[in-house]
Amino acid sequence: MTAQDREVDGVEDVLALFARQPDEPDGGSGGRPDTDRAASGPGAPSDREPKPAPNPDAASPKPAAGTRRHRATPWAEARAIAARSGRSAATAPATANAPARTRRVPLEQALGHVLAEPLAALTDLPSFDTSAMDGWAVSGPGPWSVRPDQTDQADHPDEPAAPTDTRPTPTPTPGILAGHAAATPLPDGTAVRIATGARIPPDATAVVRSEHARTDSTGHLHAERAVVQGQDIRPRAQECRSGDRLLPAGAVVTPAVLGLAAAAGYDELLTARRPTVDVLVLGDELLVRGLPHDGLIRDALGPMIAPWLRALGADVIDTRRVADDAHALFRAITESEADLILTTGGTAAGPVDHVHPVLARAGAELLVDGVAVRPGHPMLLARLASGRHLVGLPGNPLAAVSGLLTLAEPLLRTLGGRVPQPAYHAPVRDEVHGHPYDTRLVPFVHRDDRLVPLRYNGPAMLRGIAVADGLAVVPPGGARQGDELEVLDLPWAAWADASASTDDGCFT
């Protein structure tokens, strides 16, 4: 079966979009989770979300009817606007409504935070010459005379003591151990036992590993391999010198970063305050448990959004369900103290889609009002009078994911001071049909260095994204086999077992 055959059930939608007159409004029912029409096949750009109600306080002029498609913000531009807005908020002076964006935290509490300043070494690493191996510190060429209290009969078991040997039985001692003060200078031609990590005694020229050395009956040490000056010695400042920049500001504190910071002398780190988020799940039709019935459906976004935001570096204060009531929504938005308020549903122009009117009443500035992307066309980004932000996601689950990665991710990244990951592209294995005007975000998996698009990519579907490694950015018009597409990796893609089965009807 060819890629075209696999996606044939979506071709009619594409043709219908091409045939539509420019002033014909999009179909759809307002972005509600239970009413949006889902795409019928893997290549169908069928999430026809309607345009939002005109907002008299919008930053852009009121559009003429039927022109939303052409005034929607291009996808890449929308991401750039969100990133700039987060960066601006992060650098704004602290106020009562916007506390300081940085704080010092003990190392044991810093995991997952973001460095607010470069991590500079507070000491040389290592801070003195150390032994890289258990063995013998030697001075000069061998053989070496072992200090009398360092000889160990176990080093030469093949040389049993003669019955008439009158030498005193050697007493094994540990030699120079890690954590002890500097040893006395080592005279030329002598050797002393040394442990890994111990300070090299003055005048030592090399370390001979235990397995590469033997002692004879006269108490001399012999190397069984050639000895090179400086071997198995970690010189002072081999890794870094005091003051060297180890990591840039914006680096995420991982377990390895904690270890590096501790080694470099830190007890606490200056980190960016994690952005806080209030999640408002809108809709009277949503169930929190049990099976759908009587026109009610399960809330898929409530359980999904908060963990996703945490993976993006945010602290979720609360996930609240708000009825389809404009006054309740106004109170929830204006009373929130979070850096970001994230709503689900209600961003279109249905009879109970209250987000636009409520934002107008609250005096908010619309920074992005609709994005030329499928799914997720009616997403929005607003700045409230308090300086806080609101991201309005469509109610359909995959459309909401699109909004998370398009607007919430860049906003939270810059607000939290994170360094952006370099964008990368990869070739797509199969042809992917595109929307005639808008960017498409299509779930995919990596296979043999190629992107394999997944089925079940309609705006109301989660089956594809549940097994995906990320979203492929498909330009208007689609992509042919082998075309290089931009990749949006999911934050937990590395957690998944690459051998997990995704061939149960998910591939296109």
Side-chain angles (χ1 to χ4, degrees):
M1 178 182 287
T2 67
Q4 184 174 2
D5 291 332
R6 284 190 292 267
E7 296 192 335
V8 69
D9 51 356
V11 172
E12 290 79 5
D13 290 317
V14 177
L15 294 177
L17 285 169
F18 272 114
R20 189 176 300 159
Q21 295 300 316
D23 60 350
E24 180 183 349
D26 281 345
S29 58
R32 308 302 299 184
D34 57 334
T35 57
D36 254 6
R37 191 174 75 72
S40 58
S46 57
D47 53 319
R48 302 172 187 159
E49 293 117 338
K51 33 182 196 306
N55 184 348
D57 293 334
S60 57
K62 178 179 175 180
T67 60
R68 173 173 177 113
R69 177 188 299 125
H70 302 292
R71 75 176 185 86
T73 306
W75 178 78
E77 182 182 341
R79 283 175 56 83
I81 291 172
R84 286 197 302 268
S85 192
R87 189 178 299 110
S88 176
T91 57
T95 65
N97 291 331
R101 303 294 321 173
T102 62
R103 61 173 182 162
R104 294 195 175 274
V105 296
L107 285 186
E108 59 270 20
Q109 298 175 17
L111 182 65
H113 287 247
V114 175
L115 295 178
E117 64 181 2
L119 186 74
L122 302 179
T123 181
D124 295 343
L125 284 181
S127 55
F128 45 80
D129 294 348
T130 62
S131 177
M133 292 288 172
D134 294 329
W136 300 85
V138 299
S139 179
W144 303 272
S145 174
V146 178
R147 290 181 180 177
D149 62 348
Q150 301 296 324
T151 306
D152 186 352
Q153 183 71 27
D155 281 327
H156 44 94
D158 56 332
E159 297 182 15
T164 57
D165 193 349
T166 58
R167 290 180 292 125
T169 302
T171 302
T173 61
I176 305 174
L177 300 179
H180 289 218
T184 58
L186 193 62
D188 187 58
T190 60
V192 63
R193 276 193 177 279
I194 193 167
T196 301
R199 175 175 283 190
I200 296 292
D203 300 327
T205 55
V207 170
V208 180
R209 301 183 187 189
S210 296
E211 61 269 28
H212 297 162
R214 62 179 178 84
T215 54
D216 61 23
S217 58
T218 66
H220 284 80
L221 180 77
H222 298 263
E224 298 182 336
R225 298 186 180 184
V227 177
V228 179
Q229 181 159 340
Q231 75 176 30
D232 287 329
I233 293 177
R234 292 188 63 211
R236 177 174 181 164
Q238 181 186 48
E239 186 171 0
C240 66
R241 294 191 178 277
S242 179
D244 283 354
R245 193 175 87 158
L246 306 178
L247 291 171
V252 177
V253 179
T254 64
V257 170
L258 290 175
L260 176 62
Y266 285 85
D267 300 318
E268 59 183 17
L269 295 173
L270 183 68
T271 65
R273 183 173 63 82
R274 290 166 66 93
T276 55
V277 185
D278 266 337
V279 180
L280 306 180
V281 181
L282 313 183
D284 292 339
E285 74 278 17
L286 301 177
L287 294 169
V288 296
R289 65 185 70 252
L291 296 175
H293 61 86
D294 300 325
L296 302 177
I297 62 169
R298 281 297 297 268
D299 170 27
L301 296 181
M304 179 178 73
I305 295 295
W308 203 307
L309 292 169
R310 294 187 185 103
L312 294 177
D315 283 337
V316 178
I317 299 175
D318 194 14
T319 297
R320 288 179 284 166
R321 288 166 177 82
V322 179
D324 285 326
D325 178 272
H327 297 292
L329 179 59
F330 180 83
R331 287 194 304 272
I333 289 175
T334 56
E335 294 175 3
S336 172
E337 297 183 354
D339 298 311
L340 170 65
I341 302 155
L342 190 142
T343 63
T344 68
T347 57
V352 290
D353 289 336
H354 300 303
V355 173
H356 279 90
V358 164
L359 290 176
R361 178 184 170 194
E365 176 189 4
L366 281 172
L367 304 177
V368 175
D369 187 12
V371 178
V373 68
R374 305 294 170 135
H377 190 262
M379 67 181 74
L380 62 84
L381 170 64
R383 182 163 46 221
L384 302 175
S386 62
R388 298 183 173 92
H389 288 83
L390 181 142
V391 168
L393 303 180
N396 273 320
L398 189 57
V401 170
S402 174
L404 277 173
L405 297 183
T406 300
L407 297 178
E409 186 278 329
L411 178 77
L412 291 171
R413 171 169 39 82
T414 54
L415 190 58
R418 290 180 177 239
V419 174
Q421 295 297 315
Y424 75 96
H425 295 70
V428 65
R429 191 190 72 178
D430 305 321
E431 177 186 1
V432 183
H433 287 285
H435 189 277
Y437 309 103
D438 299 343
T439 298
R440 284 190 69 207
L441 301 182
V442 177
F444 75 89
V445 291
H446 289 287
R447 290 293 183 270
D448 300 325
D449 297 324
R450 289 178 175 265
L451 310 178
V452 181
L454 297 172
R455 295 186 63 197
Y456 306 109
N457 54 35
M461 299 180 180
L462 288 174
R463 186 172 172 183
I465 195 69
V467 297
D469 293 326
L471 294 176
V473 182
V474 181
R480 294 172 296 182
Q481 180 181 6
D483 282 355
E484 298 267 339
L485 299 181
E486 184 178 350
V487 172
L488 300 178
D489 283 325
L490 300 183
W492 53 82
W495 306 351
D497 182 359
S499 64
S501 175
T502 57
D503 56 1
D504 184 21
C506 284
F507 288 105
T508 58

